[in-house]
Amino acid sequence: QVQLVQSGTEVRKPGASVKVSCKASGYTFTDYYIHWVRQAPGQGLEWMGWINPNSGGTNYAQKFQGRVTMARDTSISTAFLELSRLTSDDTAVYYCARGNIVVVSTVLGFEYWGQGTLVTVSS
Amino acid sequence: DIQMTQSPASLSASVGDRVTITCRASQSISSFLNWYQQKPGKAPKLLIYAASSFQSGVSSRFSGSGSGTDFTLTISSLQPEDFATYYCQQSYSVPYTFGQGTKLEIK
């Protein structure tokens, strides 16, 4: 069965960086896009960007440009999200989600999600 | 960016009720509209994709309709497990924006 398992809770000080991992199993990792979505406490969902695990290509939301890096290690079927220059506004649960198959450009929703990683930014 | 506006923001209903949630896009998104259910402390669950296509394993109580800028999610007969927050999401163009959510509560 398809599973996305994320790394654990992180606490960082303002100005620091954080790296969250998302390990995929149950399917061929390089066949499907991975998207990252975050949710601040009590707030809605915010799409951050995607990575194509096959090519390593990325597409980031403009809001995060210059501060976000999405990467993957195909040898361990794992995607990574790194966010730098953290502020208290970055306190949120960060989710990875599986998108569409990479050979198809149409995005039809995110069927599989990780369990979420809480990142707290506090001095 | 395409703005997604859901209404209502919250809704109180009873078991057995039929409820409808509306989502409006700031520009035409064809049928690239998805609906999710989220319960507290859990990841979102995909219910409907491409405006009206049922996600495998999702109850037939849930249905979606619409195209262009106006979309609806209907729950035909509310069950206790349906009380949650619902989000629409456009997947027409990046950034793939979400609506602000509709919290469905028990009356």
Side-chain angles (χ1 to χ4, degrees):
Chain A
Q1 72 284 17
V2 174
Q3 279 193 301
L4 299 173
V5 178
Q6 298 183 223
S7 49
T9 298
E10 302 275 9
V11 179
R12 293 287 186 274
K13 293 190 184 303
S17 298
V18 69
K19 191 171 186 177
V20 177
S21 67
C22 170
K23 182 171 177 60
S25 61
Y27 73 99
T28 301
F29 176 64
T30 51
D31 281 353
Y32 292 83
Y33 287 93
I34 291 288
H35 296 254
W36 290 91
V37 175
R38 75 177 186 178
Q39 186 170 39
Q43 302 302 307
L45 301 165
E46 182 175 31
W47 182 84
M48 300 180 69
W50 58 248
I51 181 167
N52 177 334
N54 186 47
S55 66
T58 55
N59 192 329
Y60 304 142
Q62 182 73 24
K63 173 177 180 176
F64 302 102
Q65 289 276 1
R67 245 184 5 115
V68 69
T69 303
M70 295 178 190
R72 93 293 190 214
D73 184 339
T74 58
S75 69
I76 55 172
S77 299
T78 300
F80 300 94
L81 168 74
E82 185 167 21
L83 191 61
S84 63
R85 303 195 301 277
L86 294 168
T87 72
S88 57
D89 290 343
D90 295 314
T91 293
V93 175
Y94 290 75
Y95 293 102
C96 61
R98 197 184 83 167
N100 51 293
I101 197 164
V102 298
V103 296
V104 173
S105 60
T106 304
V107 180
L108 297 177
F110 307 154
E111 182 179 2
Y112 297 99
W113 294 67
Q115 82 277 17
T117 296
L118 174 62
V119 175
T120 300
V121 183
S122 174
S123 54
Chain B
D1 297 0
I2 297 174
Q3 306 304 315
M4 306 301 295
T5 303
Q6 284 183 237
S7 61
S10 63
L11 176 59
S12 293
S14 301
V15 172
D17 284 353
R18 176 185 178 92
V19 300
T20 297
I21 297 169
T22 297
C23 181
R24 175 165 288 175
S26 60
Q27 67 183 74
S28 177
I29 57 170
S30 184
S31 295
F32 292 97
L33 191 283
N34 312 304
W35 288 99
Y36 298 86
Q37 176 193 68
Q38 187 180 33
K39 296 183 178 179
K42 300 295 187 181
K45 175 185 177 181
L46 180 63
L47 299 175
I48 301 287
Y49 64 92
S52 60
S53 295
F54 298 99
Q55 178 61 31
S56 175
V58 172
S59 170
S60 57
R61 296 193 304 277
F62 295 92
S63 63
S65 66
S67 66
T69 60
D70 295 311
F71 301 87
T72 59
L73 173 71
T74 299
I75 310 173
S76 60
S77 177
L78 276 173
Q79 297 301 300
E81 61 267 28
D82 299 336
F83 292 94
T85 300
Y86 293 84
Y87 294 93
C88 62
Q89 178 206 24
Q90 64 84 15
S91 51
Y92 179 79
S93 67
V94 294
Y96 297 134
T97 42
F98 291 85
Q100 81 279 17
T102 295
K103 187 173 184 179
L104 180 54
E105 298 174 305
I106 301 174
K107 184 182 288 183

